[in-house]
Amino acid sequence: GMAASTPSMALTVSRVVGHSVRRLRPRPSHQTMARRAFHNSKVGDVVPIQFRVQAPEATIKPDDEYPDWLADVLDIPSLAELTAKRAEGLPLTPEESRRFWQKTRTARIKETNQIQEF
């Protein structure tokens, strides 16, 4: 339950069960990683993706060579951004609200699963 989430109780539980305790840091989402890669890259940089063994290395092209919808994919807000927007009292669009609650539920499920691992 809740008592196992405190550090001292987690250490006690781990000693009894025999597990080593490590701090679990949430991994960045695929979207966050895509944003970082997108913002830190330049035209001509090699992309570490190779679809075929004999294919030449893929490189980043100028923006005008990509479809228009690609920019929309990178503009989807993260849970942290949506939470901050709600905290400021700003209204969420129906799509943002759906995404907020979906991501909140997923985060709670992951948290519950981590607690149950002990």
Side-chain angles (χ1 to χ4, degrees), residues 88-108:
E88 293 172 9
L90 299 173
L92 298 178
T93 65
E95 185 173 320
E96 288 175 332
S97 180
R98 182 195 58 77
R99 182 170 173 78
F100 172 79
W101 290 111
Q102 178 185 23
K103 290 293 184 180
T104 300
R105 282 191 305 272
T106 302
R108 285 184 185 151

